[in-house]
Amino acid sequence: MFGSDIGIDLGTATILVFVKGRGIVLKEPSVVAINKDTDEILAVGDDARNMLGRTPCNIIAIRPLREGVISDYNITEKMLKYFIRKAVGSPLPFATKPRIAVCVPSTVTGVEKRAVEDATKQAGARQVFVIEEPIAAAIGAGIDISRPCGSMVVDIGGGTTDVAVISLGSAVVSTSIKVAGDNFDESIVRYMRKKHNMLIGERTAEEMKINIGTAYERAETVSMDVRGRNLISGLPKTMTVTSDEMLEALSESVTSITEAVHTVLEQTPPELASDISDRGIVMTGGGSLLYGLDKLIHEKTGIDTIIAEEAVSCVAMGTGRYIEFITSPGGVDITKMGI
């Protein structure tokens, strides 16, 4: 499988790899465990995630990507090299290095974009194409972005939420805020500490978000048992938490996202706004699966809001389809059409 074209969703929380002709072949957390004393990488992906919060002082499990951009260049490069080799299935000889498309947030700076490009090249790419996340998400969701017609995408990942109105292959209006899945988890941790004097870990907060998290009042309250440490006694503690409490815990974060959507709509040209009113808003990314978030955006904007099929995989699918298209005979870069 040498020389394959590869699309990578370089997510803050999860990395997905799309290989031409095979689809998505890898989905693992973007976590690396390293030995601080020797700088040796001990584990990557699922194995490293299992170590979060459970390592001795000389071993740390870190996320080298924060809020959609690279925070540790060297670790990111090694992590990418590991995932590329795992996806392709063999070492990469120079003559057979793949072409790789990788996505970045819509408001990324030139320096941040260059860091992603350089890290991908050092990880084994022959040629690198950088694509904005909302564009990739729209392609992955099945939207024909080449038409002169407005489409609105809200991509909620781990580190950033990207909101964009797309027409003729480019984002006409876009914004990116650093409120997304990780922020949801942090809000839950803060709420449990403040309201119940209970300390919980990142993984527990994520489980709560998935199982009982809500952005819109549920018709029927759900609950789950949560284990953590009592901050007063210092002893382990188990308590039952309801979805109503999660609504309160997440209210600030989800309000920031709805305000970002509202801001982009305010800046959208009237003809494109009319298109969006007819076609609706499409949500992608793992964060879009938070219960009731689509209902909340619909209530705040008055526009039909749908969650894309395979929302978690949309960016990776779109990145893969993008590189398949532009590397095919006669293919053109549709993201340059609006320039």
Side-chain angles (χ1 to χ4, degrees), residues 6-12 14-17 65 67-70 76 80 100-108 112-113 115-117 120 128-138 155 157 160 162 312-320 322:
I6 296 174
I8 299 178
D9 176 5
L10 192 63
T12 303
T14 308
I15 287 185
L16 290 89
V17 180
L65 296 151
E67 297 176 338
V69 296
I70 292 174
T76 300
L80 275 170
I100 297 178
V102 62
C103 59
V104 294
S106 56
T107 56
V108 75
E112 292 165 341
K113 184 176 179 181
V116 170
E117 192 173 342
T120 308
V128 178
F129 303 91
V130 179
I131 179 173
E132 293 181 2
E133 281 180 13
I135 301 289
D155 178 51
T160 60
D162 288 271
V312 175
S313 308
C314 274
V315 172
M317 291 291 293
T319 309
Y322 169 82

mmCIF file of all heavy atoms in Angstrom, residues 6-12 14-17 65 67-70 76 80 100-108 112-113 115-117 120 128-138 155 157 160 162 312-320 322:
data_model
loop_
_atom_site.group_PDB
_atom_site.id
_atom_site.type_symbol
_atom_site.label_atom_id
_atom_site.label_comp_id
_atom_site.label_asym_id
_atom_site.label_seq_id
_atom_site.Cartn_x
_atom_site.Cartn_y
_atom_site.Cartn_z
ATOM 1 N N ILE A 6 -3.435 10.080 1.434
ATOM 2 C CA ILE A 6 -3.971 9.976 2.782
ATOM 3 C C ILE A 6 -4.594 11.303 3.209
ATOM 4 O O ILE A 6 -4.043 12.378 2.932
ATOM 5 C CB ILE A 6 -2.853 9.581 3.787
ATOM 6 C CG1 ILE A 6 -2.316 8.190 3.468
ATOM 7 C CG2 ILE A 6 -3.354 9.633 5.223
ATOM 8 C CD1 ILE A 6 -1.126 7.790 4.318
ATOM 9 N N GLY A 7 -5.746 11.231 3.876
ATOM 10 C CA GLY A 7 -6.362 12.410 4.478
ATOM 11 C C GLY A 7 -6.341 12.250 5.988
ATOM 12 O O GLY A 7 -6.676 11.186 6.511
ATOM 13 N N ILE A 8 -5.932 13.293 6.700
ATOM 14 C CA ILE A 8 -5.820 13.216 8.158
ATOM 15 C C ILE A 8 -6.644 14.317 8.809
ATOM 16 O O ILE A 8 -6.491 15.500 8.495
ATOM 17 C CB ILE A 8 -4.352 13.337 8.624
ATOM 18 C CG1 ILE A 8 -3.514 12.188 8.050
ATOM 19 C CG2 ILE A 8 -4.272 13.342 10.149
ATOM 20 C CD1 ILE A 8 -2.038 12.264 8.427
ATOM 21 N N ASP A 9 -7.535 13.895 9.707
ATOM 22 C CA ASP A 9 -8.243 14.842 10.573
ATOM 23 C C ASP A 9 -7.402 14.971 11.828
ATOM 24 O O ASP A 9 -7.433 14.130 12.722
ATOM 25 C CB ASP A 9 -9.643 14.311 10.909
ATOM 26 C CG ASP A 9 -10.385 15.214 11.900
ATOM 27 O OD1 ASP A 9 -9.857 16.290 12.250
ATOM 28 O OD2 ASP A 9 -11.498 14.840 12.318
ATOM 29 N N LEU A 10 -6.608 16.045 11.875
ATOM 30 C CA LEU A 10 -5.662 16.253 12.970
ATOM 31 C C LEU A 10 -6.390 16.922 14.130
ATOM 32 O O LEU A 10 -6.289 18.125 14.350
ATOM 33 C CB LEU A 10 -4.484 17.108 12.480
ATOM 34 C CG LEU A 10 -3.257 17.213 13.373
ATOM 35 C CD1 LEU A 10 -2.611 15.854 13.565
ATOM 36 C CD2 LEU A 10 -2.252 18.193 12.771
ATOM 37 N N GLY A 11 -7.152 16.128 14.861
ATOM 38 C CA GLY A 11 -8.005 16.675 15.900
ATOM 39 C C GLY A 11 -7.306 16.823 17.239
ATOM 40 O O GLY A 11 -6.355 16.104 17.546
ATOM 41 N N THR A 12 -7.788 17.754 18.046
ATOM 42 C CA THR A 12 -7.241 17.960 19.383
ATOM 43 C C THR A 12 -7.454 16.731 20.251
ATOM 44 O O THR A 12 -6.592 16.360 21.047
ATOM 45 C CB THR A 12 -7.918 19.182 20.052
ATOM 46 O OG1 THR A 12 -7.736 20.322 19.211
ATOM 47 C CG2 THR A 12 -7.335 19.455 21.421
ATOM 48 N N THR A 14 -8.998 13.572 18.910
ATOM 49 C CA THR A 14 -8.934 12.318 18.157
ATOM 50 C C THR A 14 -8.316 12.553 16.782
ATOM 51 O O THR A 14 -8.564 13.584 16.154
ATOM 52 C CB THR A 14 -10.345 11.721 17.974
ATOM 53 O OG1 THR A 14 -10.991 11.641 19.240
ATOM 54 C CG2 THR A 14 -10.289 10.342 17.349
ATOM 55 N N ILE A 15 -7.528 11.589 16.330
ATOM 56 C CA ILE A 15 -6.974 11.628 14.976
ATOM 57 C C ILE A 15 -7.628 10.529 14.153
ATOM 58 O O ILE A 15 -7.699 9.368 14.582
ATOM 59 C CB ILE A 15 -5.444 11.463 14.983
ATOM 60 C CG1 ILE A 15 -4.791 12.745 15.501
ATOM 61 C CG2 ILE A 15 -4.922 11.112 13.594
ATOM 62 C CD1 ILE A 15 -3.281 12.755 15.437
ATOM 63 N N LEU A 16 -8.146 10.912 12.983
ATOM 64 C CA LEU A 16 -8.717 9.938 12.051
ATOM 65 C C LEU A 16 -7.895 9.974 10.774
ATOM 66 O O LEU A 16 -7.504 11.058 10.308
ATOM 67 C CB LEU A 16 -10.180 10.263 11.731
ATOM 68 C CG LEU A 16 -11.200 10.054 12.858
ATOM 69 C CD1 LEU A 16 -11.339 11.301 13.700
ATOM 70 C CD2 LEU A 16 -12.557 9.678 12.281
ATOM 71 N N VAL A 17 -7.638 8.805 10.215
ATOM 72 C CA VAL A 17 -6.836 8.703 8.994
ATOM 73 C C VAL A 17 -7.649 8.014 7.908
ATOM 74 O O VAL A 17 -8.191 6.923 8.116
ATOM 75 C CB VAL A 17 -5.522 7.935 9.242
ATOM 76 C CG1 VAL A 17 -4.709 7.842 7.945
ATOM 77 C CG2 VAL A 17 -4.699 8.616 10.338
ATOM 78 N N LEU A 65 -1.594 18.452 20.830
ATOM 79 C CA LEU A 65 -2.403 19.429 20.108
ATOM 80 C C LEU A 65 -3.362 20.063 21.108
ATOM 81 O O LEU A 65 -4.019 19.373 21.873
ATOM 82 C CB LEU A 65 -3.198 18.749 18.995
ATOM 83 C CG LEU A 65 -2.350 18.125 17.881
ATOM 84 C CD1 LEU A 65 -3.071 16.943 17.280
ATOM 85 C CD2 LEU A 65 -2.045 19.147 16.812
ATOM 86 N N GLU A 67 -6.405 23.133 21.410
ATOM 87 C CA GLU A 67 -7.292 24.112 20.779
ATOM 88 C C GLU A 67 -7.072 24.184 19.272
ATOM 89 O O GLU A 67 -7.040 25.251 18.665
ATOM 90 C CB GLU A 67 -7.102 25.491 21.430
ATOM 91 C CG GLU A 67 -7.486 25.487 22.902
ATOM 92 C CD GLU A 67 -7.228 26.805 23.603
ATOM 93 O OE1 GLU A 67 -6.389 27.595 23.102
ATOM 94 O OE2 GLU A 67 -7.844 27.037 24.642
ATOM 95 N N GLY A 68 -6.895 22.999 18.673
ATOM 96 C CA GLY A 68 -6.820 22.905 17.226
ATOM 97 C C GLY A 68 -5.469 23.166 16.608
ATOM 98 O O GLY A 68 -5.311 23.052 15.391
ATOM 99 N N VAL A 69 -4.468 23.513 17.412
ATOM 100 C CA VAL A 69 -3.141 23.794 16.853
ATOM 101 C C VAL A 69 -2.076 23.013 17.622
ATOM 102 O O VAL A 69 -2.315 22.498 18.710
ATOM 103 C CB VAL A 69 -2.810 25.312 16.896
ATOM 104 C CG1 VAL A 69 -3.761 26.087 16.011
ATOM 105 C CG2 VAL A 69 -2.860 25.845 18.322
ATOM 106 N N ILE A 70 -0.869 22.964 17.026
ATOM 107 C CA ILE A 70 0.230 22.206 17.617
ATOM 108 C C ILE A 70 0.801 22.953 18.817
ATOM 109 O O ILE A 70 1.202 24.111 18.704
ATOM 110 C CB ILE A 70 1.330 21.960 16.563
ATOM 111 C CG1 ILE A 70 0.807 21.009 15.477
ATOM 112 C CG2 ILE A 70 2.580 21.376 17.211
ATOM 113 C CD1 ILE A 70 1.766 20.829 14.313
ATOM 114 N N THR A 76 4.212 15.984 18.200
ATOM 115 C CA THR A 76 3.210 15.877 17.131
ATOM 116 C C THR A 76 3.789 15.162 15.916
ATOM 117 O O THR A 76 3.140 14.301 15.310
ATOM 118 C CB THR A 76 2.692 17.270 16.723
ATOM 119 O OG1 THR A 76 2.098 17.897 17.849
ATOM 120 C CG2 THR A 76 1.663 17.165 15.605
ATOM 121 N N LEU A 80 2.356 11.712 14.454
ATOM 122 C CA LEU A 80 1.891 11.599 13.077
ATOM 123 C C LEU A 80 2.600 10.461 12.350
ATOM 124 O O LEU A 80 1.981 9.690 11.613
ATOM 125 C CB LEU A 80 2.132 12.924 12.330
ATOM 126 C CG LEU A 80 1.060 13.997 12.464
ATOM 127 C CD1 LEU A 80 1.559 15.311 11.876
ATOM 128 C CD2 LEU A 80 -0.224 13.575 11.776
ATOM 129 N N ILE A 100 -0.410 13.758 1.407
ATOM 130 C CA ILE A 100 -1.289 13.842 2.579
ATOM 131 C C ILE A 100 -2.017 15.180 2.614
ATOM 132 O O ILE A 100 -1.407 16.239 2.447
ATOM 133 C CB ILE A 100 -0.484 13.656 3.893
ATOM 134 C CG1 ILE A 100 0.140 12.263 3.936
ATOM 135 C CG2 ILE A 100 -1.372 13.879 5.109
ATOM 136 C CD1 ILE A 100 1.000 11.999 5.163
ATOM 137 N N ALA A 101 -3.321 15.117 2.814
ATOM 138 C CA ALA A 101 -4.130 16.320 3.067
ATOM 139 C C ALA A 101 -4.456 16.337 4.551
ATOM 140 O O ALA A 101 -4.866 15.317 5.120
ATOM 141 C CB ALA A 101 -5.418 16.291 2.248
ATOM 142 N N VAL A 102 -4.249 17.469 5.185
ATOM 143 C CA VAL A 102 -4.482 17.587 6.621
ATOM 144 C C VAL A 102 -5.265 18.868 6.887
ATOM 145 O O VAL A 102 -5.113 19.868 6.179
ATOM 146 C CB VAL A 102 -3.130 17.575 7.386
ATOM 147 C CG1 VAL A 102 -2.266 18.749 6.997
ATOM 148 C CG2 VAL A 102 -3.340 17.527 8.884
ATOM 149 N N CYS A 103 -6.150 18.837 7.863
ATOM 150 C CA CYS A 103 -7.028 19.980 8.088
ATOM 151 C C CYS A 103 -6.570 20.837 9.271
ATOM 152 O O CYS A 103 -5.897 20.361 10.189
ATOM 153 C CB CYS A 103 -8.467 19.510 8.311
ATOM 154 S SG CYS A 103 -8.619 18.408 9.714
ATOM 155 N N VAL A 104 -6.957 22.120 9.225
ATOM 156 C CA VAL A 104 -6.648 23.080 10.291
ATOM 157 C C VAL A 104 -7.891 23.927 10.554
ATOM 158 O O VAL A 104 -8.759 24.047 9.688
ATOM 159 C CB VAL A 104 -5.467 24.002 9.894
ATOM 160 C CG1 VAL A 104 -4.174 23.227 9.772
ATOM 161 C CG2 VAL A 104 -5.769 24.761 8.604
ATOM 162 N N PRO A 105 -8.018 24.544 11.746
ATOM 163 C CA PRO A 105 -9.151 25.442 12.006
ATOM 164 C C PRO A 105 -9.182 26.601 11.016
ATOM 165 O O PRO A 105 -8.141 26.999 10.473
ATOM 166 C CB PRO A 105 -8.885 25.945 13.434
ATOM 167 C CG PRO A 105 -8.030 24.889 14.059
ATOM 168 C CD PRO A 105 -7.179 24.362 12.936
ATOM 169 N N SER A 106 -10.354 27.182 10.800
ATOM 170 C CA SER A 106 -10.523 28.200 9.764
ATOM 171 C C SER A 106 -9.775 29.497 10.058
ATOM 172 O O SER A 106 -9.418 30.231 9.146
ATOM 173 C CB SER A 106 -12.019 28.513 9.561
ATOM 174 O OG SER A 106 -12.613 28.915 10.766
ATOM 175 N N THR A 107 -9.522 29.811 11.330
ATOM 176 C CA THR A 107 -8.848 31.072 11.661
ATOM 177 C C THR A 107 -7.398 30.852 12.072
ATOM 178 O O THR A 107 -6.812 31.676 12.771
ATOM 179 C CB THR A 107 -9.595 31.807 12.797
ATOM 180 O OG1 THR A 107 -9.690 30.927 13.933
ATOM 181 C CG2 THR A 107 -10.985 32.222 12.359
ATOM 182 N N VAL A 108 -6.807 29.736 11.651
ATOM 183 C CA VAL A 108 -5.432 29.435 12.014
ATOM 184 C C VAL A 108 -4.492 30.484 11.399
ATOM 185 O O VAL A 108 -4.741 31.008 10.310
ATOM 186 C CB VAL A 108 -5.066 28.008 11.528
ATOM 187 C CG1 VAL A 108 -4.851 27.969 10.017
ATOM 188 C CG2 VAL A 108 -3.858 27.462 12.249
ATOM 189 N N GLU A 112 0.976 28.869 12.429
ATOM 190 C CA GLU A 112 0.372 27.613 12.877
ATOM 191 C C GLU A 112 0.140 26.662 11.706
ATOM 192 O O GLU A 112 0.345 25.445 11.819
ATOM 193 C CB GLU A 112 -0.931 27.900 13.617
ATOM 194 C CG GLU A 112 -0.722 28.610 14.961
ATOM 195 C CD GLU A 112 -2.003 29.212 15.517
ATOM 196 O OE1 GLU A 112 -2.966 29.400 14.743
ATOM 197 O OE2 GLU A 112 -2.031 29.510 16.727
ATOM 198 N N LYS A 113 -0.281 27.231 10.572
ATOM 199 C CA LYS A 113 -0.511 26.421 9.376
ATOM 200 C C LYS A 113 0.798 25.811 8.881
ATOM 201 O O LYS A 113 0.860 24.635 8.503
ATOM 202 C CB LYS A 113 -1.134 27.309 8.293
ATOM 203 C CG LYS A 113 -1.528 26.577 7.024
ATOM 204 C CD LYS A 113 -2.226 27.539 6.069
ATOM 205 C CE LYS A 113 -2.608 26.850 4.772
ATOM 206 N NZ LYS A 113 -3.274 27.784 3.831
ATOM 207 N N ALA A 115 3.406 25.156 10.686
ATOM 208 C CA ALA A 115 3.843 24.138 11.649
ATOM 209 C C ALA A 115 3.188 22.794 11.345
ATOM 210 O O ALA A 115 3.840 21.743 11.403
ATOM 211 C CB ALA A 115 3.505 24.586 13.068
ATOM 212 N N VAL A 116 1.897 22.820 11.004
ATOM 213 C CA VAL A 116 1.184 21.587 10.648
ATOM 214 C C VAL A 116 1.786 20.981 9.377
ATOM 215 O O VAL A 116 2.030 19.774 9.291
ATOM 216 C CB VAL A 116 -0.325 21.872 10.453
ATOM 217 C CG1 VAL A 116 -1.025 20.654 9.852
ATOM 218 C CG2 VAL A 116 -0.976 22.246 11.775
ATOM 219 N N GLU A 117 2.041 21.844 8.388
ATOM 220 C CA GLU A 117 2.608 21.381 7.113
ATOM 221 C C GLU A 117 3.985 20.765 7.314
ATOM 222 O O GLU A 117 4.284 19.675 6.802
ATOM 223 C CB GLU A 117 2.685 22.571 6.146
ATOM 224 C CG GLU A 117 2.990 22.181 4.718
ATOM 225 C CD GLU A 117 2.885 23.363 3.764
ATOM 226 O OE1 GLU A 117 2.259 24.375 4.129
ATOM 227 O OE2 GLU A 117 3.446 23.270 2.660
ATOM 228 N N THR A 120 3.876 17.414 9.186
ATOM 229 C CA THR A 120 3.366 16.334 8.330
ATOM 230 C C THR A 120 4.441 15.873 7.348
ATOM 231 O O THR A 120 4.597 14.678 7.082
ATOM 232 C CB THR A 120 2.111 16.799 7.565
ATOM 233 O OG1 THR A 120 1.177 17.346 8.488
ATOM 234 C CG2 THR A 120 1.451 15.641 6.830
ATOM 235 N N VAL A 128 2.139 17.883 0.869
ATOM 236 C CA VAL A 128 1.129 18.173 1.880
ATOM 237 C C VAL A 128 0.138 19.210 1.352
ATOM 238 O O VAL A 128 0.526 20.234 0.790
ATOM 239 C CB VAL A 128 1.772 18.716 3.184
ATOM 240 C CG1 VAL A 128 0.688 19.048 4.213
ATOM 241 C CG2 VAL A 128 2.749 17.699 3.756
ATOM 242 N N PHE A 129 -1.149 18.913 1.518
ATOM 243 C CA PHE A 129 -2.221 19.861 1.202
ATOM 244 C C PHE A 129 -2.916 20.217 2.517
ATOM 245 O O PHE A 129 -3.312 19.319 3.262
ATOM 246 C CB PHE A 129 -3.248 19.234 0.245
ATOM 247 C CG PHE A 129 -2.660 18.724 -1.038
ATOM 248 C CD1 PHE A 129 -2.222 17.412 -1.147
ATOM 249 C CD2 PHE A 129 -2.556 19.556 -2.144
ATOM 250 C CE1 PHE A 129 -1.680 16.940 -2.333
ATOM 251 C CE2 PHE A 129 -2.021 19.086 -3.335
ATOM 252 C CZ PHE A 129 -1.579 17.782 -3.429
ATOM 253 N N VAL A 130 -3.037 21.502 2.793
ATOM 254 C CA VAL A 130 -3.698 21.944 4.021
ATOM 255 C C VAL A 130 -5.077 22.478 3.667
ATOM 256 O O VAL A 130 -5.222 23.310 2.773
ATOM 257 C CB VAL A 130 -2.869 23.027 4.742
ATOM 258 C CG1 VAL A 130 -3.595 23.493 6.004
ATOM 259 C CG2 VAL A 130 -1.493 22.480 5.116
ATOM 260 N N ILE A 131 -6.098 21.981 4.358
ATOM 261 C CA ILE A 131 -7.477 22.370 4.062
ATOM 262 C C ILE A 131 -8.156 22.811 5.356
ATOM 263 O O ILE A 131 -7.897 22.252 6.424
ATOM 264 C CB ILE A 131 -8.243 21.193 3.403
ATOM 265 C CG1 ILE A 131 -9.695 21.556 3.113
ATOM 266 C CG2 ILE A 131 -8.169 19.944 4.253
ATOM 267 C CD1 ILE A 131 -10.450 20.505 2.305
ATOM 268 N N GLU A 132 -9.002 23.820 5.255
ATOM 269 C CA GLU A 132 -9.711 24.315 6.440
ATOM 270 C C GLU A 132 -10.777 23.311 6.877
ATOM 271 O O GLU A 132 -11.457 22.698 6.046
ATOM 272 C CB GLU A 132 -10.358 25.673 6.145
ATOM 273 C CG GLU A 132 -9.365 26.799 5.917
ATOM 274 C CD GLU A 132 -10.052 28.125 5.667
ATOM 275 O OE1 GLU A 132 -11.303 28.185 5.712
ATOM 276 O OE2 GLU A 132 -9.339 29.111 5.427
ATOM 277 N N GLU A 133 -10.935 23.166 8.187
ATOM 278 C CA GLU A 133 -11.850 22.155 8.735
ATOM 279 C C GLU A 133 -13.290 22.290 8.251
ATOM 280 O O GLU A 133 -13.915 21.284 7.909
ATOM 281 C CB GLU A 133 -11.797 22.181 10.267
ATOM 282 C CG GLU A 133 -10.577 21.455 10.812
ATOM 283 C CD GLU A 133 -10.507 21.477 12.323
ATOM 284 O OE1 GLU A 133 -11.510 21.829 12.962
ATOM 285 O OE2 GLU A 133 -9.438 21.133 12.860
ATOM 286 N N PRO A 134 -13.887 23.508 8.236
ATOM 287 C CA PRO A 134 -15.277 23.579 7.782
ATOM 288 C C PRO A 134 -15.456 23.155 6.324
ATOM 289 O O PRO A 134 -16.491 22.587 5.962
ATOM 290 C CB PRO A 134 -15.674 25.042 7.991
ATOM 291 C CG PRO A 134 -14.460 25.774 8.381
ATOM 292 C CD PRO A 134 -13.403 24.796 8.733
ATOM 293 N N ILE A 135 -14.446 23.423 5.480
ATOM 294 C CA ILE A 135 -14.510 22.998 4.075
ATOM 295 C C ILE A 135 -14.501 21.469 4.016
ATOM 296 O O ILE A 135 -15.323 20.841 3.328
ATOM 297 C CB ILE A 135 -13.312 23.556 3.270
ATOM 298 C CG1 ILE A 135 -13.276 25.088 3.319
ATOM 299 C CG2 ILE A 135 -13.358 23.053 1.831
ATOM 300 C CD1 ILE A 135 -14.349 25.778 2.545
ATOM 301 N N ALA A 136 -13.557 20.857 4.758
ATOM 302 C CA ALA A 136 -13.476 19.396 4.790
ATOM 303 C C ALA A 136 -14.752 18.795 5.361
ATOM 304 O O ALA A 136 -15.269 17.790 4.850
ATOM 305 C CB ALA A 136 -12.262 18.956 5.616
ATOM 306 N N ALA A 137 -15.289 19.413 6.420
ATOM 307 C CA ALA A 137 -16.521 18.907 7.044
ATOM 308 C C ALA A 137 -17.683 18.953 6.064
ATOM 309 O O ALA A 137 -18.494 18.023 6.002
ATOM 310 C CB ALA A 137 -16.838 19.719 8.295
ATOM 311 N N ALA A 138 -17.769 20.044 5.290
ATOM 312 C CA ALA A 138 -18.861 20.181 4.314
ATOM 313 C C ALA A 138 -18.762 19.109 3.233
ATOM 314 O O ALA A 138 -19.759 18.488 2.860
ATOM 315 C CB ALA A 138 -18.828 21.571 3.686
ATOM 316 N N ASP A 155 -18.822 22.920 12.759
ATOM 317 C CA ASP A 155 -17.995 21.758 13.068
ATOM 318 C C ASP A 155 -17.471 21.902 14.497
ATOM 319 O O ASP A 155 -16.668 22.788 14.787
ATOM 320 C CB ASP A 155 -16.832 21.649 12.084
ATOM 321 C CG ASP A 155 -15.915 20.479 12.399
ATOM 322 O OD1 ASP A 155 -16.433 19.366 12.554
ATOM 323 O OD2 ASP A 155 -14.686 20.683 12.504
ATOM 324 N N GLY A 157 -15.376 20.217 17.234
ATOM 325 C CA GLY A 157 -14.387 19.177 17.479
ATOM 326 C C GLY A 157 -14.031 19.073 18.948
ATOM 327 O O GLY A 157 -14.861 19.311 19.830
ATOM 328 N N THR A 160 -11.756 23.147 19.046
ATOM 329 C CA THR A 160 -12.354 24.347 18.459
ATOM 330 C C THR A 160 -13.709 24.044 17.842
ATOM 331 O O THR A 160 -13.993 22.919 17.451
ATOM 332 C CB THR A 160 -11.444 24.934 17.342
ATOM 333 O OG1 THR A 160 -11.274 23.953 16.315
ATOM 334 C CG2 THR A 160 -10.094 25.364 17.876
ATOM 335 N N ASP A 162 -15.725 25.453 14.607
ATOM 336 C CA ASP A 162 -15.606 26.251 13.391
ATOM 337 C C ASP A 162 -16.981 26.423 12.773
ATOM 338 O O ASP A 162 -17.691 25.444 12.541
ATOM 339 C CB ASP A 162 -14.672 25.557 12.388
ATOM 340 C CG ASP A 162 -13.227 25.613 12.823
ATOM 341 O OD1 ASP A 162 -12.540 26.578 12.477
ATOM 342 O OD2 ASP A 162 -12.783 24.683 13.524
ATOM 343 N N VAL A 312 -18.828 12.362 13.380
ATOM 344 C CA VAL A 312 -17.456 12.306 13.906
ATOM 345 C C VAL A 312 -16.442 12.155 12.766
ATOM 346 O O VAL A 312 -15.331 12.680 12.838
ATOM 347 C CB VAL A 312 -17.315 11.136 14.907
ATOM 348 C CG1 VAL A 312 -15.871 10.992 15.372
ATOM 349 C CG2 VAL A 312 -18.236 11.354 16.107
ATOM 350 N N SER A 313 -16.845 11.456 11.705
ATOM 351 C CA SER A 313 -15.910 11.134 10.618
ATOM 352 C C SER A 313 -15.936 12.138 9.469
ATOM 353 O O SER A 313 -15.149 12.002 8.525
ATOM 354 C CB SER A 313 -16.233 9.747 10.054
ATOM 355 O OG SER A 313 -16.304 8.789 11.075
ATOM 356 N N CYS A 314 -16.822 13.129 9.516
ATOM 357 C CA CYS A 314 -17.027 14.017 8.365
ATOM 358 C C CYS A 314 -15.755 14.719 7.905
ATOM 359 O O CYS A 314 -15.468 14.784 6.707
ATOM 360 C CB CYS A 314 -18.084 15.071 8.689
ATOM 361 S SG CYS A 314 -19.768 14.517 8.383
ATOM 362 N N VAL A 315 -14.977 15.260 8.846
ATOM 363 C CA VAL A 315 -13.770 16.002 8.459
ATOM 364 C C VAL A 315 -12.761 15.076 7.801
ATOM 365 O O VAL A 315 -12.171 15.418 6.767
ATOM 366 C CB VAL A 315 -13.153 16.719 9.682
ATOM 367 C CG1 VAL A 315 -11.793 17.322 9.319
ATOM 368 C CG2 VAL A 315 -14.083 17.822 10.185
ATOM 369 N N ALA A 316 -12.567 13.884 8.377
ATOM 370 C CA ALA A 316 -11.626 12.921 7.789
ATOM 371 C C ALA A 316 -12.097 12.468 6.413
ATOM 372 O O ALA A 316 -11.303 12.390 5.456
ATOM 373 C CB ALA A 316 -11.455 11.718 8.710
ATOM 374 N N MET A 317 -13.399 12.185 6.267
ATOM 375 C CA MET A 317 -13.947 11.781 4.976
ATOM 376 C C MET A 317 -13.771 12.894 3.952
ATOM 377 O O MET A 317 -13.387 12.648 2.803
ATOM 378 C CB MET A 317 -15.426 11.440 5.119
ATOM 379 C CG MET A 317 -15.714 10.184 5.924
ATOM 380 S SD MET A 317 -15.185 8.680 5.092
ATOM 381 C CE MET A 317 -16.307 8.663 3.702
ATOM 382 N N GLY A 318 -14.058 14.123 4.367
ATOM 383 C CA GLY A 318 -13.934 15.266 3.459
ATOM 384 C C GLY A 318 -12.502 15.510 3.038
ATOM 385 O O GLY A 318 -12.218 15.816 1.878
ATOM 386 N N THR A 319 -11.567 15.365 3.983
ATOM 387 C CA THR A 319 -10.146 15.535 3.673
ATOM 388 C C THR A 319 -9.698 14.473 2.674
ATOM 389 O O THR A 319 -8.960 14.762 1.726
ATOM 390 C CB THR A 319 -9.301 15.446 4.955
ATOM 391 O OG1 THR A 319 -9.833 16.334 5.940
ATOM 392 C CG2 THR A 319 -7.865 15.839 4.697
ATOM 393 N N GLY A 320 -10.172 13.236 2.876
ATOM 394 C CA GLY A 320 -9.821 12.155 1.953
ATOM 395 C C GLY A 320 -10.398 12.359 0.570
ATOM 396 O O GLY A 320 -9.716 12.158 -0.443
ATOM 397 N N TYR A 322 -11.222 15.175 -0.734
ATOM 398 C CA TYR A 322 -10.546 16.348 -1.302
ATOM 399 C C TYR A 322 -9.248 15.935 -2.008
ATOM 400 O O TYR A 322 -9.006 16.291 -3.152
ATOM 401 C CB TYR A 322 -10.268 17.352 -0.179
ATOM 402 C CG TYR A 322 -9.349 18.496 -0.538
ATOM 403 C CD1 TYR A 322 -9.830 19.616 -1.203
ATOM 404 C CD2 TYR A 322 -7.997 18.460 -0.189
ATOM 405 C CE1 TYR A 322 -8.983 20.669 -1.522
ATOM 406 C CE2 TYR A 322 -7.151 19.508 -0.500
ATOM 407 C CZ TYR A 322 -7.649 20.607 -1.163
ATOM 408 O OH TYR A 322 -6.817 21.650 -1.477
#
